[in-house]
Amino acid sequence: MSSSGWQRSSYSAANNECVEVRARGEAVELRESDGPGTILGADPATFPSLLESIKAGGCDQPA
C-alpha cells in the first residue's frame, strides 16, 4: 500500500461510492470517497478491531 495514496477495494463501483484506505505514518486511515473530509484512523495494531466494529454497525450514525 502506498504511504500517501488512497486505495479502493476491487469490489467498489466506478461511481465513487466506496471506502478508501491508506497507510500514513504510523496510522491506517479510512474514508468514504463521497465524503473525503472525514477520516477515521487507527494504529496498525488496533485497525482490525476498528474494521470489526464498523462491520458490526458500531460506527453507524443514528437516522
Side-chain angles (χ1 to χ4, degrees):
M1 181 183 319
S2 167
S3 63
S4 61
W6 292 97
Q7 293 195 353
R8 296 180 184 177
S9 167
S10 60
Y11 294 101
S12 296
N15 58 3
N16 236 16
E17 293 180 7
C18 57
V19 174
E20 299 172 322
V21 64
R22 73 175 174 185
R24 185 168 184 218
E26 296 295 320
V28 180
E29 298 179 331
L30 292 170
R31 72 178 184 181
E32 290 273 351
S33 60
D34 61 350
T38 302
I39 298 171
L40 291 176
D43 63 75
T46 58
F47 186 69
S49 296
L50 174 61
L51 288 181
E52 288 301 317
S53 179
I54 291 168
K55 288 177 185 179
C59 296
D60 290 349
Q61 294 181 1

